[in-house]
Amino acid sequence: MSVVPNSEVQLLGQSNAVQTILSDVDCAARSGAKVLITGETGVGKEVVARLIHLRSARAAGRLVTVNCAGLPDSLLESELFGHVRGSFTGAYRDKPGLLEMAPNGTVFLDEVGEMSTRMQVVLLRFLETGEIQRVGADRSHIRVNVRLITATNRDLPKEIAAGNFREDLFFRLNVIRMHIPPLRERIEDVPLLFDHYLDYYCQQHRVARPQVSPGALDALMAYRWPGNIRELRNVAERLALKSSGQVLRPGDLPTEVVKPADRFEAAAAEGAAAAPSTSSPVEDLTGRMLRHGESFWSVVHPLFMARDLTRDDLRRIIEIGLENTNGNYRLLVALYNMPNEDYKRFLGFLRKHNCHLPFQRFRTIASRAQQTRPVAAAG
Amino acid sequence: MSSEPSAPAQHGTIVVVDDDVSCLVAVEQILRHWGLETRTFRAFEDARAYLAHARPAVVIVDVRLGNYNGLQLIHFSRQHSPETQWLVVSGFDDPVLRNEATKLGAAFLTKPLDLQRLREYLPGGHT
Ligand SMILES: Nc1ncnc2c1ncn2[C@@H]1O[C@H](COP(=O)(O)OP(=O)(O)OP(=O)(O)O)[C@@H](O)[C@H]1O
Ligand SMILES: [Mg+2]
């Protein structure tokens, strides 16, 4: 398990969500009660657990992290509770468990939703008695004073309904609940986080810190960030490594950020499933731009000028693009594989043919549209 | 909020939080019958928002509130309203949660509620 210096444990963000979490962290730190942290992968669950520990009266004690995923049952039990010599092959001596290793400290059980039902019972019993029974021992031998913080990216109430997680355990662990929303629900945090990590990695790799163009920032804010802050951090590091100190433009960003093809393909697949009609020229053309990197100027422009495409077709193509860029035209230029310098020319072209759609409605419906609205059904 | 007279005289207010409407209504009716000013919440978030500022005399809270544990509300309100009396009610007598509640100075009652006991915790209950 990696050791993170305390100075690195910080929860950055200016969104209301992060501010609420920070005040809840203080509240949780004061109280000493069990905390359950929920949220998607990479949102900062471990950061929150560390902060609670560091700000609590147990900060002088240790914080021990145990990941419940991927360990076979018997191993997890012996990790947590220890074992006595001879309790299984390879147990040559008595070994204390991690719960014993953090007296007056905190134990962070990560991915607690992955625990087997048998381990859930063992944990339930421990919470009741506070006593540790090492694997292979015939009685509990020691009481420990630890605080338990748990985390999961699963929907535990759903797991309870499906019979995979014990409801009584859930309510015991869930005394204080902290939910960390995904980054795409607090995009106002993106500029701050990106700046921070770009600074950090440029310093670390001793490269010149590039400026970020407004278009690139827009692209970063329009992206869905399925891997949340961990992913943003990785993108910042990749860019720092490539950086020559030049201004970062949308074209410099990783393709998955600028061309969220997954989103488009998922939406297109959904649309196709909903209406198994023959594929329209609009779909073909947008597909060629989004998936095959062909440019708007070579794919759409000539057809439109030759009147093989109607004005409605063109509008639809712009609409699909804007749905993918959160209503951002600069980004649309990159999405449809035009150089940044073509921005004015592109807008001029759309205006001239009365196909410049107001971007506002894509802003407001964007997050919903990206998730649920099939592209083909929108027009 | 706006429909209420804005008097901050919440000292006599009894707050009831339960996501089971039938329980909520039953308790509310009893409290009203006893002449107590009562506010009810079905959702954790609403109760939380209210308790962030209010200083009620008593809060009666269910342990199981959807995704949340009613005990969390005590943690959120303790700092600014230390004199509020908390009654934690639960359909299940879980010793661990009972212990948590007691550590926080709250009373732990199981459902169905014993009205005699309930009354002891309310304003005027000892007279
Ligand atoms: N608000 C934040 N400010 C700064 N850095 C953050 C923030 N949130 C997360 N990070 C960073 O993002 C990375 C992922 O965070 P963390 O490991 O806490 O996520 P997690 O929710 O535990 O993810 P997983 O479910 O995959 O275990 C870490 O490098 C962490 O430092
Ligand atoms: Mg984690």
Side-chain angles (χ1 to χ4, degrees):
Chain A
M1 227 135 282
S2 68
V3 178
V4 183
N6 290 346
S7 60
E8 251 208 57
V9 183
Q10 47 179 342
L11 196 72
L12 300 172
Q14 48 197 190
S15 59
N16 287 336
V18 170
Q19 294 311 313
T20 307
I21 290 165
L22 283 171
S23 87
D24 287 2
V25 162
D26 286 327
C27 176
R30 270 197 306 272
S31 88
K34 290 175 205 59
V35 183
L36 174 66
I37 307 168
T38 57
E40 289 177 9
T41 180
V43 285
K45 296 186 291 296
E46 183 157 357
V47 175
V48 164
R50 284 177 184 281
L51 280 179
I52 294 173
H53 171 74
L54 287 172
R55 295 185 183 180
S56 75
R58 296 173 176 272
R62 285 180 63 185
L63 171 73
V64 170
T65 299
V66 187
N67 194 316
C68 304
L71 282 186
D73 231 31
S74 52
L75 207 56
L76 179 59
E77 183 174 0
S78 113
E79 278 287 299
L80 281 175
F81 296 91
H83 59 246
V84 296
R85 188 174 151 208
S87 52
F88 52 86
T89 10
Y92 297 119
R93 58 180 71 113
D94 287 6
K95 184 178 160 248
L98 291 170
L99 288 167
E100 278 176 68
M101 312 273 269
N104 304 311
T106 307
V107 170
F108 176 46
L109 286 185
D110 206 355
E111 316 223 25
V112 72
E114 315 300 313
M115 257 189 190
S116 72
T117 12
R118 197 190 68 84
M119 269 310 288
Q120 290 174 36
V121 175
V122 175
L123 187 59
L124 204 61
R125 196 178 57 215
F126 167 69
L127 293 180
E128 200 157 331
T129 61
E131 288 175 358
I132 283 178
Q133 183 168 358
R134 290 184 179 173
V135 174
D138 33 71
R139 55 187 181 85
S140 330
H141 81 138
I142 178 173
R143 286 183 70 95
V144 293
N145 173 0
V146 293
R147 179 201 204 158
L148 216 56
I149 299 180
T150 50
T152 182
N153 50 28
R154 292 202 183 220
D155 181 352
L156 287 185
K158 217 188 231 166
E159 298 295 326
I160 292 169
N164 300 326
F165 204 84
R166 292 184 61 117
E167 191 173 24
D168 46 2
L169 180 59
F170 172 69
F171 279 98
R172 284 181 181 182
L173 297 176
N174 187 37
V175 175
I176 293 185
R177 168 66 157 273
M178 303 203 21
H179 179 72
I180 313 179
L183 191 52
R184 67 181 164 280
E185 287 175 16
R186 46 182 169 112
I187 45 167
E188 63 269 42
D189 288 338
V190 168
L192 185 75
L193 286 165
F194 188 73
D195 253 14
H196 170 79
Y197 281 117
L198 196 59
D199 270 346
Y200 174 83
Y201 286 114
C202 286
Q203 261 176 36
Q204 191 171 324
H205 300 297
R206 296 173 199 280
V207 294
R209 161 73 156 85
Q211 291 298 308
V212 183
S213 75
L217 199 58
D218 283 341
L220 292 167
M221 290 175 76
Y223 181 49
R224 284 177 53 76
W225 297 110
N228 291 295
I229 296 150
R230 180 177 298 112
E231 183 183 8
L232 177 139
R233 204 181 158 149
N234 292 340
V235 167
E237 177 161 32
R238 270 196 276 163
L239 291 170
L241 282 168
K242 284 201 321 198
S243 168
S244 52
Q246 303 277 314
V247 177
L248 274 179
R249 304 200 181 279
D252 301 320
L253 300 177
T255 38
E256 73 271 15
V257 175
V258 209
K259 293 183 202 159
D262 53 336
R263 208 197 298 162
F264 176 78
E265 271 165 20
E270 238 179 87
S277 61
T278 55
S279 76
S280 67
V282 169
E283 276 171 37
D284 286 346
L285 300 176
T286 44
R288 279 169 61 190
M289 292 186 289
L290 290 171
R291 283 187 291 265
H292 305 296
E294 294 183 57
S295 154
F296 178 86
W297 298 127
S298 58
V299 172
V300 178
H301 187 258
L303 287 182
F304 182 76
M305 296 318 276
R307 300 182 188 234
D308 285 337
L309 275 184
T310 66
R311 185 172 291 178
D312 276 348
D313 290 336
L314 178 56
R315 285 200 181 129
R316 186 63 202 116
I317 289 170
I318 301 306
E319 198 172 44
I320 291 173
L322 290 173
E323 278 166 8
N324 277 278
T325 64
N326 219 354
N328 187 311
Y329 272 98
R330 277 192 189 278
L331 198 51
L332 182 58
V333 169
L335 185 72
Y336 285 167
N337 310 303
M338 293 171 269
N340 293 335
E341 301 77 63
D342 284 0
Y343 176 67
K344 277 208 176 116
R345 181 182 159 211
F346 177 63
L347 284 201
F349 166 77
L350 294 182
R351 286 210 184 91
K352 181 167 168 198
H353 297 284
N354 205 3
C355 291
H356 183 259
L357 311 176
F359 63 85
Q360 288 86 352
R361 79 181 170 94
F362 299 96
R363 290 273 150 99
T364 46
I365 60 164
S367 57
R368 208 161 18 106
Q370 285 162 9
Q371 282 166 25
T372 58
R373 173 122 67 88
V375 165
Chain B
M1 279 286 213
S2 52
S3 60
E4 301 265 309
S6 57
Q10 286 160 333
H11 287 290
T13 308
I14 318 293
V15 171
V16 190
V17 191
D18 197 327
D19 59 353
D20 177 343
V21 203
S22 56
C23 283
L24 192 66
V25 171
V27 174
E28 181 185 17
Q29 280 175 351
I30 294 162
L31 296 177
R32 293 244 154 101
H33 177 72
W34 286 343
L36 296 163
E37 189 189 326
T38 308
R39 265 200 91 118
T40 60
F41 295 94
R42 281 187 63 190
F44 176 90
E45 292 296 356
D46 298 339
R48 176 180 176 166
Y50 174 78
L51 290 168
H53 304 290
R55 296 165 61 196
V58 180
V59 182
I60 303 172
V61 63
D62 191 19
V63 166
R64 300 187 171 201
L65 294 171
N67 283 344
Y68 293 91
N69 188 320
L71 287 172
Q72 181 164 358
L73 293 172
I74 310 184
H75 295 280
F76 285 144
S77 125
R78 254 290 112 83
Q79 276 259 307
H80 73 274
S81 187
E83 64 288 347
T84 298
Q85 164 74 55
W86 286 81
L87 301 183
V88 176
V89 295
S90 175
F92 309 82
D93 187 7
D94 185 313
V96 174
L97 294 175
R98 176 186 283 274
N99 184 24
E100 294 261 5
T102 320
K103 272 199 298 197
L104 290 165
F108 191 93
L109 309 179
T110 45
K111 291 182 184 177
L113 277 176
D114 175 345
L115 295 186
Q116 291 275 287
R117 280 205 66 198
L118 178 61
R119 185 129 210 201
E120 288 170 19
Y121 295 99
L122 301 175
H126 294 290
T127 57

